[in-house]
């Protein structure tokens, strides 16, 4: 068991993503050094860093939300009623998620009504989650630019947004680029300086919806 009481509180430190990530990585490496076969994170908030943690740690890190989903999918029939036992904190979290979802989609709709061109940047697993949850499809986002050749010519799962080569991003800069790979924002912003210089703006949705540029 690794527990470090002086790690900064996660919800209040999402803006300091990398500082907090490094704190959690140190704990994971200690568990790995002690010959653990895998790591379980019982704290739901910590799963925000799951993907980046797994890239830095060689032993498996179980994603509890994913395990719950897989168990439910396997054990429950389609259209089954599922009870959720939660605390007031989680209920408030759901309300905040629903409010943010509605505001996010309304903003994209407004950009389209203004005649602005909006695209996605990075066909990540995160992009699949957010587009399906918010009901964002090819009517709101023209395409998603990605560097992975295997994804080119395909479509985002569930929302059917075309995935095109990253090289084409510079050929026709959009008005707005929705940054799906937000955990790599520093590297991406440094790489795509010309986009902002030519008037392009980034849409960020973590930890809150913002327009940069």
């Amino acid at each position: 068991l690794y527990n470090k009481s002086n790690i900064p509180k996660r919800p209040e430190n999402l803006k300091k993503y990398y500082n907090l990530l490094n704190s959690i990585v140190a704990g994971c490496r200690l568990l790995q050094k002690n010959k653990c076969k895998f790591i379980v994170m019982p704290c739901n908030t910590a799963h925000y860093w799951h993907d980046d943690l797994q890239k830095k740690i060689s032993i498996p890190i179980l994603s509890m939300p994913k395990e719950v989903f897989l168990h439910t999918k396997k054990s429950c029939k389609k259209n089954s009623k599922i009870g959720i036992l939660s605390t007031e904190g989680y209920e408030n979290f759901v309300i905040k998620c629903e409010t943010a979802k509605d505001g996010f989609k309304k903003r994209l709709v407004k950009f389209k009504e203004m005649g602005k061109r909006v695209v996605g940047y990075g066909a990540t697993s995160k992009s699949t989650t957010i587009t399906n949850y918010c009901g964002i499809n090819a009517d709101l986002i023209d395409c998603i630019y990605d560097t992975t050749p295997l994804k080119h010519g395909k479509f985002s799962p569930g929302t059917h947004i075309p995935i095109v080569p990253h090289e084409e991003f510079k050929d026709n800069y959009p008005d707005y680029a929705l940054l799906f790979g937000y955990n790599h924002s520093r590297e991406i912003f440094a790489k795509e300086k010309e986009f902002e210089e030519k008037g392009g703006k980034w849409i960020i949705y973590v930890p809150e919806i913002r327009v940069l540029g």
Side-chain angles (χ1 to χ4, degrees), residues 153-182:
K154 296 182 173 62
F155 299 83
S156 60
T159 52
H160 309 294
I161 302 170
I163 301 173
V164 298
H166 167 262
E167 291 77 16
E168 296 181 16
F169 182 65
K170 292 186 177 182
D171 295 337
N172 184 20
Y173 280 135
D175 297 297
Y176 295 91
L178 177 51
L179 183 58
F180 289 125
Y182 54 80

Side-chain angles (χ1 to χ4, degrees), residues 5-180:
S5 59
N6 63 348
I7 287 181
K9 291 182 179 180
R10 284 170 289 278
E12 290 84 354
N13 284 272
L14 293 182
K15 292 182 180 179
K16 300 177 181 178
Y17 186 96
Y18 291 97
N19 292 340
L20 192 48
L21 173 64
N22 291 334
S23 297
I24 304 176
V25 166
C28 289
R29 284 179 174 160
L30 182 61
L31 293 172
Q32 182 174 272
K33 186 178 180 180
N34 281 275
K35 300 181 180 180
C36 293
K37 299 298 182 182
F38 59 88
I39 295 173
V40 177
M41 293 190 295
C43 175
N44 283 327
T45 313
H47 284 85
Y48 184 85
W49 287 267
H50 177 273
D51 291 351
D52 282 324
L53 284 170
Q54 190 62 83
K55 291 175 184 177
K56 297 176 181 291
I57 304 298
S58 59
I59 60 176
I61 302 177
L62 296 185
S63 168
M64 299 308 289
K66 183 177 181 180
E67 294 301 319
V68 170
F69 167 75
L70 292 175
H71 176 76
T72 303
K73 184 178 180 181
K74 180 180 178 180
S75 305
C76 301
K77 295 180 180 179
K78 189 175 182 179
N79 298 323
S80 296
K81 271 190 177 180
I82 301 173
I84 299 177
L85 181 63
S86 68
T87 62
E88 183 179 349
Y90 282 110
E91 291 173 1
N92 290 335
F93 174 71
V94 171
I95 293 172
K96 288 180 180 179
C97 285
E98 288 295 307
T99 301
K101 177 181 76 171
D102 292 341
F104 188 26
K105 187 171 182 179
K106 285 178 180 177
R107 185 169 294 198
L108 294 178
V109 169
K110 182 179 179 181
F111 288 151
K112 276 295 181 179
E113 290 175 346
M114 293 168 59
K116 303 297 183 181
R117 182 167 174 262
V118 182
V119 304
Y121 192 104
T124 63
S125 57
K126 301 176 185 66
S127 69
T128 300
T129 301
I130 195 70
T131 53
N132 278 278
Y133 176 63
C134 294
I136 297 169
N137 54 30
D139 292 334
L140 296 175
I141 298 178
D142 291 5
C143 63
I144 301 175
Y145 292 99
D146 195 272
T147 57
T148 309
L150 286 175
K151 298 179 182 179
H152 300 161
K154 296 182 173 62
F155 299 83
S156 60
T159 52
H160 309 294
I161 302 170
I163 301 173
V164 298
H166 167 262
E167 291 77 16
E168 296 181 16
F169 182 65
K170 292 186 177 182
D171 295 337
N172 184 20
Y173 280 135
D175 297 297
Y176 295 91
L178 177 51
L179 183 58
F180 289 125

